[in-house]
PDB file of all heavy atoms in Angstrom:
ATOM      1  N   LEU B1055     176.048  15.243 -12.731  1.00  0.00           N
ATOM      2  CA  LEU B1055     174.770  15.944 -12.720  1.00  0.00           C
ATOM      3  C   LEU B1055     174.819  17.043 -11.675  1.00  0.00           C
ATOM      4  O   LEU B1055     175.325  16.822 -10.582  1.00  0.00           O
ATOM      5  CB  LEU B1055     173.663  14.996 -12.257  1.00  0.00           C
ATOM      6  CG  LEU B1055     173.063  14.027 -13.220  1.00  0.00           C
ATOM      7  CD1 LEU B1055     171.955  13.258 -12.503  1.00  0.00           C
ATOM      8  CD2 LEU B1055     172.500  14.775 -14.410  1.00  0.00           C
ATOM      9  N   LEU B1056     174.235  18.182 -11.985  1.00  0.00           N
ATOM     10  CA  LEU B1056     174.163  19.260 -11.002  1.00  0.00           C
ATOM     11  C   LEU B1056     172.809  19.206 -10.287  1.00  0.00           C
ATOM     12  O   LEU B1056     171.760  19.271 -10.928  1.00  0.00           O
ATOM     13  CB  LEU B1056     174.344  20.616 -11.692  1.00  0.00           C
ATOM     14  CG  LEU B1056     174.489  21.819 -10.769  1.00  0.00           C
ATOM     15  CD1 LEU B1056     175.699  21.687  -9.865  1.00  0.00           C
ATOM     16  CD2 LEU B1056     174.589  23.113 -11.585  1.00  0.00           C
ATOM     17  N   LEU B1057     172.860  19.083  -8.977  1.00  0.00           N
ATOM     18  CA  LEU B1057     171.631  18.965  -8.177  1.00  0.00           C
ATOM     19  C   LEU B1057     171.633  20.024  -7.089  1.00  0.00           C
ATOM     20  O   LEU B1057     172.696  20.507  -6.686  1.00  0.00           O
ATOM     21  CB  LEU B1057     171.586  17.583  -7.516  1.00  0.00           C
ATOM     22  CG  LEU B1057     171.581  16.394  -8.481  1.00  0.00           C
ATOM     23  CD1 LEU B1057     171.727  15.088  -7.710  1.00  0.00           C
ATOM     24  CD2 LEU B1057     170.301  16.386  -9.314  1.00  0.00           C
ATOM     25  N   ILE B1058     170.444  20.368  -6.609  1.00  0.00           N
ATOM     26  CA  ILE B1058     170.394  21.302  -5.487  1.00  0.00           C
ATOM     27  C   ILE B1058     169.798  20.635  -4.260  1.00  0.00           C
ATOM     28  O   ILE B1058     168.974  19.729  -4.347  1.00  0.00           O
ATOM     29  CB  ILE B1058     169.643  22.606  -5.822  1.00  0.00           C
ATOM     30  CG1 ILE B1058     168.208  22.341  -6.209  1.00  0.00           C
ATOM     31  CG2 ILE B1058     170.367  23.378  -6.919  1.00  0.00           C
ATOM     32  CD1 ILE B1058     167.443  23.614  -6.473  1.00  0.00           C
ATOM     33  N   HIS B1059     170.247  21.112  -3.143  1.00  0.00           N
ATOM     34  CA  HIS B1059     169.922  20.496  -1.860  1.00  0.00           C
ATOM     35  C   HIS B1059     168.725  21.188  -1.254  1.00  0.00           C
ATOM     36  O   HIS B1059     168.634  22.403  -1.245  1.00  0.00           O
ATOM     37  CB  HIS B1059     171.142  20.650  -0.940  1.00  0.00           C
ATOM     38  CG  HIS B1059     171.029  19.861   0.314  1.00  0.00           C
ATOM     39  ND1 HIS B1059     170.851  20.434   1.549  1.00  0.00           N
ATOM     40  CD2 HIS B1059     171.076  18.528   0.515  1.00  0.00           C
ATOM     41  CE1 HIS B1059     170.798  19.485   2.463  1.00  0.00           C
ATOM     42  NE2 HIS B1059     170.927  18.315   1.868  1.00  0.00           N
ATOM     43  N   ARG B1060     167.831  20.392  -0.743  1.00  0.00           N
ATOM     44  CA  ARG B1060     166.655  20.956  -0.082  1.00  0.00           C
ATOM     45  C   ARG B1060     166.970  21.134   1.383  1.00  0.00           C
ATOM     46  O   ARG B1060     167.106  20.147   2.118  1.00  0.00           O
ATOM     47  CB  ARG B1060     165.469  20.010  -0.199  1.00  0.00           C
ATOM     48  CG  ARG B1060     164.751  20.115  -1.499  1.00  0.00           C
ATOM     49  CD  ARG B1060     163.702  19.058  -1.590  1.00  0.00           C
ATOM     50  NE  ARG B1060     162.457  19.441  -0.934  1.00  0.00           N
ATOM     51  CZ  ARG B1060     161.471  20.069  -1.540  1.00  0.00           C
ATOM     52  NH1 ARG B1060     161.578  20.436  -2.784  1.00  0.00           N
ATOM     53  NH2 ARG B1060     160.353  20.354  -0.882  1.00  0.00           N
ATOM     54  N   GLY B1061     167.001  22.399   1.813  1.00  0.00           N
ATOM     55  CA  GLY B1061     167.324  22.667   3.212  1.00  0.00           C
ATOM     56  C   GLY B1061     166.087  22.877   4.052  1.00  0.00           C
ATOM     57  O   GLY B1061     166.164  23.402   5.155  1.00  0.00           O
ATOM     58  N   PHE B1062     164.933  22.454   3.532  1.00  0.00           N
ATOM     59  CA  PHE B1062     163.686  22.726   4.256  1.00  0.00           C
ATOM     60  C   PHE B1062     162.759  21.518   4.148  1.00  0.00           C
ATOM     61  O   PHE B1062     162.918  20.670   3.270  1.00  0.00           O
ATOM     62  CB  PHE B1062     162.991  23.957   3.657  1.00  0.00           C
ATOM     63  CG  PHE B1062     162.950  23.918   2.150  1.00  0.00           C
ATOM     64  CD1 PHE B1062     161.927  23.248   1.492  1.00  0.00           C
ATOM     65  CD2 PHE B1062     163.970  24.507   1.391  1.00  0.00           C
ATOM     66  CE1 PHE B1062     161.901  23.184   0.115  1.00  0.00           C
ATOM     67  CE2 PHE B1062     163.939  24.438   0.007  1.00  0.00           C
ATOM     68  CZ  PHE B1062     162.913  23.787  -0.627  1.00  0.00           C
ATOM     69  N   GLN B1063     161.786  21.476   5.020  1.00  0.00           N
ATOM     70  CA  GLN B1063     160.796  20.403   4.987  1.00  0.00           C
ATOM     71  C   GLN B1063     159.736  20.718   3.949  1.00  0.00           C
ATOM     72  O   GLN B1063     159.489  21.896   3.693  1.00  0.00           O
ATOM     73  CB  GLN B1063     160.126  20.250   6.364  1.00  0.00           C
ATOM     74  CG  GLN B1063     161.048  19.737   7.441  1.00  0.00           C
ATOM     75  CD  GLN B1063     161.575  18.341   7.186  1.00  0.00           C
ATOM     76  OE1 GLN B1063     161.176  17.680   6.237  1.00  0.00           O
ATOM     77  NE2 GLN B1063     162.515  17.915   8.029  1.00  0.00           N
ATOM     78  N   PRO B1064     159.002  19.803   3.426  1.00  0.00           N
ATOM     79  CA  PRO B1064     159.283  18.368   3.555  1.00  0.00           C
ATOM     80  C   PRO B1064     160.363  17.942   2.571  1.00  0.00           C
ATOM     81  O   PRO B1064     160.771  18.738   1.743  1.00  0.00           O
ATOM     82  CB  PRO B1064     157.943  17.743   3.177  1.00  0.00           C
ATOM     83  CG  PRO B1064     157.343  18.706   2.230  1.00  0.00           C
ATOM     84  CD  PRO B1064     157.838  20.065   2.597  1.00  0.00           C
ATOM     85  N   GLU B1065     160.739  16.715   2.689  1.00  0.00           N
ATOM     86  CA  GLU B1065     161.784  16.166   1.824  1.00  0.00           C
ATOM     87  C   GLU B1065     163.126  16.830   2.132  1.00  0.00           C
ATOM     88  O   GLU B1065     164.026  16.841   1.301  1.00  0.00           O
ATOM     89  CB  GLU B1065     161.443  16.348   0.330  1.00  0.00           C
ATOM     90  CG  GLU B1065     160.112  15.789  -0.092  1.00  0.00           C
ATOM     91  CD  GLU B1065     160.146  14.308  -0.415  1.00  0.00           C
ATOM     92  OE1 GLU B1065     161.190  13.659  -0.186  1.00  0.00           O
ATOM     93  OE2 GLU B1065     159.119  13.777  -0.878  1.00  0.00           O
ATOM     94  N   ARG B1066     163.236  17.403   3.334  1.00  0.00           N
ATOM     95  CA  ARG B1066     164.484  18.042   3.729  1.00  0.00           C
ATOM     96  C   ARG B1066     165.639  17.044   3.636  1.00  0.00           C
ATOM     97  O   ARG B1066     165.500  15.894   4.039  1.00  0.00           O
ATOM     98  CB  ARG B1066     164.354  18.529   5.179  1.00  0.00           C
ATOM     99  CG  ARG B1066     165.604  19.174   5.677  1.00  0.00           C
ATOM    100  CD  ARG B1066     165.465  19.624   7.123  1.00  0.00           C
ATOM    101  NE  ARG B1066     166.669  20.364   7.481  1.00  0.00           N
ATOM    102  CZ  ARG B1066     166.675  21.525   8.116  1.00  0.00           C
ATOM    103  NH1 ARG B1066     165.539  22.062   8.497  1.00  0.00           N
ATOM    104  NH2 ARG B1066     167.815  22.124   8.391  1.00  0.00           N
TER     105      ARG B1066
END
Side-chain angles (χ1 to χ4, degrees):
Chain B
L1055 279 182
L1056 188 60
L1057 299 172
I1058 60 177
H1059 190 250
R1060 278 174 84 90
F1062 46 86
Q1063 292 297 354
E1065 305 276 7
R1066 179 181 186 134

